[in-house]
Amino acid sequence: MKNLLNLLMVPALLLCSFQKSSTLGYFRDKVSGAEIWKEGKIVYLFFQTDKEAGGKERIVLQEKKITEGRLKFTPSFDRSEVEPGDLIVILSDSGGKEVSKQLVKNPLHPEMEVYEKEGVSRKKIPLENAEFSIRYTYSEQIQMVKIEKVTESGTQLLFTQKL
């Protein structure tokens, strides 16, 4: 009985292994990996922010990188998550029409986990300078980036630059 089981298992396993490789070969012929990566590009924008002597915040675009690939998910902007001090990054076309918005939690007051005798807690740590980045799917429409700071009374424009 054991020999009969072994006799039937070996051909079944071989048959399955050949089917997988032939199926993969079929899909490899249909779409090559190089074609997939040529379709999409991701743009990374790296910023630095710091407080000036008068308490006013200053933002500088340090670097822009474009790489091949696709984002797994597109960052969404949820107005209910906005708190004073957070930054709203607005990507727009050359006419100023808004294409995309992203929320960046306050980079000068990040929330850190602190371990104390009472246990782990979260505290906001004030910083003098910080770096943050955003990423988005490349589009020829996106020509300008604006960064607004959320305040108690609304928003304040901190940064505008053409890409």
Side-chain angles (χ1 to χ4, degrees):
M1 185 70 173
K2 188 175 182 181
N3 289 338
L4 182 61
L5 185 60
N6 285 338
L7 184 64
L8 294 175
M9 284 295 269
V10 171
L13 290 173
L14 287 174
L15 180 64
C16 290
S17 67
F18 286 127
Q19 284 182 340
K20 285 181 184 176
S21 64
S22 65
T23 305
L24 288 175
Y26 172 75
F27 285 117
R28 195 175 324 132
D29 293 340
K30 287 287 186 188
V31 179
S32 71
E35 291 171 0
I36 291 172
W37 290 110
K38 285 182 184 176
E39 290 177 4
K41 291 184 180 180
I42 301 172
V43 180
Y44 293 89
L45 299 177
F46 298 95
F47 297 95
Q48 180 173 5
T49 182
D50 56 4
K51 283 190 178 182
E52 294 178 343
K56 186 177 177 183
E57 291 182 28
R58 182 176 62 110
I59 297 176
V60 177
L61 177 63
Q62 286 185 316
E63 189 175 2
K64 173 184 173 181
K65 285 188 178 182
I66 300 175
T67 184
E68 294 189 14
R70 285 186 274 169
L71 292 176
K72 292 182 181 177
F73 67 93
T74 305
S76 61
F77 178 76
D78 187 4
R79 188 72 181 164
S80 65
E81 295 179 5
V82 176
E83 297 175 3
D86 291 348
L87 303 177
I88 300 173
V89 181
I90 303 168
L91 302 169
S92 56
D93 63 9
S94 58
K97 182 181 174 191
E98 188 177 293
V99 177
S100 173
K101 270 187 180 181
Q102 292 185 26
L103 177 66
V104 176
K105 291 293 184 182
N106 191 343
L108 291 175
H109 292 289
E111 194 170 285
M112 308 291 267
E113 288 184 353
V114 179
Y115 181 75
E116 298 173 330
K117 291 180 182 180
E118 301 86 38
V120 178
S121 63
R122 292 183 171 268
K123 292 186 179 180
K124 290 197 176 204
I125 310 295
L127 300 174
E128 291 298 315
N129 56 31
E131 295 179 348
F132 66 94
S133 65
I134 65 159
R135 62 184 180 179
Y136 62 92
T137 303
Y138 175 80
S139 171
E140 289 184 11
Q141 285 183 320
I142 297 175
Q143 298 291 319
M144 190 181 322
V145 62
K146 294 181 190 176
I147 300 178
E148 297 177 346
K149 180 180 179 179
V150 178
T151 62
E152 296 289 339
S153 60
T155 59
Q156 173 188 4
L157 183 65
L158 295 179
F159 178 82
T160 303
Q161 186 168 334
K162 287 188 177 184
L163 300 172

